[in-house]
Amino acid sequence: MPASNPSPSKPDGRRLRSNRSRQLIIESMLALIKQGNLVPTAQQVAEHANVGIRSVFRHFEDMESIFETASELCHREFRSLFMGGDRSGTLQERILHASECHADAYETISNIMLSGAARRWNSEVLQKSYLEYQHQLRRDLDEWLPELVNLAENKRQAVDSIASFEMWQRLRNIQGLDKVQSINIIVEMLEALIAR
């Protein structure tokens, strides 16, 4: 008589609950940040997730480990925001389309970026994550604008500065310009560097 196949192992209920709690804690921290609480405390995260503060630190060793997991989720979101768009057309059209795509992404991730900036000074995880984001943004610009390969290094560095979140933040929230005005300024500066 053939041996019967063992029944497939059932998922471990405790492990599933633990994974769900971890996910809920991260989602709660990101939700608080997106709502405008740029530096939520562990207690605020716990309350938003409807778990005890001890539960937060049972799943995560410290805030740095929370940042690490949250950064991984954010990178996936960021990548999806910067991908796509019409990358055909003349140089001027691609500069405009790239600037519009980045503007939409920056509007979406503004509070996440500001939160990272507020905590980055004492977080190795966030410093590393920010550098990875910068490299990703530079690669994305290269895909939009292959002409950048021919620029002198100082001009290429200027392009990265102009296309950065920090420039967008300055135009929108410090100088008080609307989205269209901000895009137009960035396009004009990029064209001056690349198209001439």
Side-chain angles (χ1 to χ4, degrees), residues 45-104:
V45 171
E47 288 170 5
H48 189 279
N50 201 25
V51 299
I53 185 71
R54 287 162 63 176
S55 180
V56 172
F57 291 111
R58 186 165 56 247
H59 293 292
F60 298 95
E61 186 177 331
D62 52 23
M63 289 302 285
E64 191 80 341
S65 60
I66 296 177
F67 297 157
E68 187 168 16
T69 305
S71 290
E72 291 167 6
L73 286 178
C74 287
H75 269 295
R76 287 196 289 273
E77 179 184 353
F78 290 5
R79 186 66 190 137
S80 67
L81 290 171
F82 286 97
M83 287 175 67
D86 182 3
R87 300 188 180 214
S88 63
T90 66
L91 174 60
Q92 284 77 12
E93 288 169 339
R94 285 180 285 116
I95 288 173
L96 173 61
H97 295 158
S99 300
E100 290 172 336
C101 179
H102 286 189
D104 290 341

Side-chain angles (χ1 to χ4, degrees), residues 3-193:
S4 61
N5 290 333
S7 62
S9 60
K10 293 182 180 178
D12 183 337
R14 284 179 298 179
R15 180 173 292 164
L16 289 175
R17 284 192 299 275
S18 176
N19 289 343
R20 179 64 193 133
S21 293
R22 281 178 61 88
Q23 184 72 18
L24 189 58
I25 289 164
I26 295 299
E27 288 172 357
S28 292
M29 187 178 78
L30 293 176
L32 287 168
I33 291 170
K34 289 176 180 179
Q35 291 166 13
N37 181 351
L38 299 184
V39 189
T41 64
Q43 184 63 49
Q44 290 168 329
V45 171
E47 288 170 5
H48 189 279
N50 201 25
V51 299
I53 185 71
R54 287 162 63 176
S55 180
V56 172
F57 291 111
R58 186 165 56 247
H59 293 292
F60 298 95
E61 186 177 331
D62 52 23
M63 289 302 285
E64 191 80 341
S65 60
I66 296 177
F67 297 157
E68 187 168 16
T69 305
S71 290
E72 291 167 6
L73 286 178
C74 287
H75 269 295
R76 287 196 289 273
E77 179 184 353
F78 290 5
R79 186 66 190 137
S80 67
L81 290 171
F82 286 97
M83 287 175 67
D86 182 3
R87 300 188 180 214
S88 63
T90 66
L91 174 60
Q92 284 77 12
E93 288 169 339
R94 285 180 285 116
I95 288 173
L96 173 61
H97 295 158
S99 300
E100 290 172 336
C101 179
H102 286 189
D104 290 341
Y106 290 152
E107 292 288 294
T108 301
I109 64 173
S110 178
N111 282 350
I112 296 290
M113 294 296 291
L114 293 173
S115 175
R119 295 183 184 259
R120 200 163 51 238
W121 67 277
N122 70 343
S123 169
E124 288 184 17
V125 165
L126 293 180
Q127 290 166 18
K128 180 183 176 188
S129 177
Y130 183 73
L131 287 176
E132 289 171 0
Y133 156 76
Q134 293 299 319
H135 293 313
Q136 178 180 312
L137 185 60
R138 185 176 175 113
R139 287 192 300 272
D140 185 63
L141 279 174
D142 288 341
E143 291 175 12
W144 277 103
L145 307 168
E147 294 85 354
L148 294 176
V149 73
N150 297 319
L151 281 188
E153 180 59 21
N154 61 336
K155 287 189 175 184
R156 183 63 178 86
Q157 295 291 342
V159 165
D160 289 341
S161 296
I162 293 164
S164 69
F165 171 78
E166 289 76 13
M167 174 64 84
W168 185 255
Q169 165 71 7
R170 177 178 181 82
L171 293 172
R172 294 284 280 127
N173 297 324
I174 297 177
Q175 294 179 220
L177 303 179
D178 68 28
K179 185 176 177 181
V180 172
Q181 288 174 307
S182 300
I183 290 171
N184 288 340
I185 288 170
I186 288 169
V187 167
E188 286 179 22
M189 289 191 291
L190 291 177
E191 285 182 348
L193 281 169

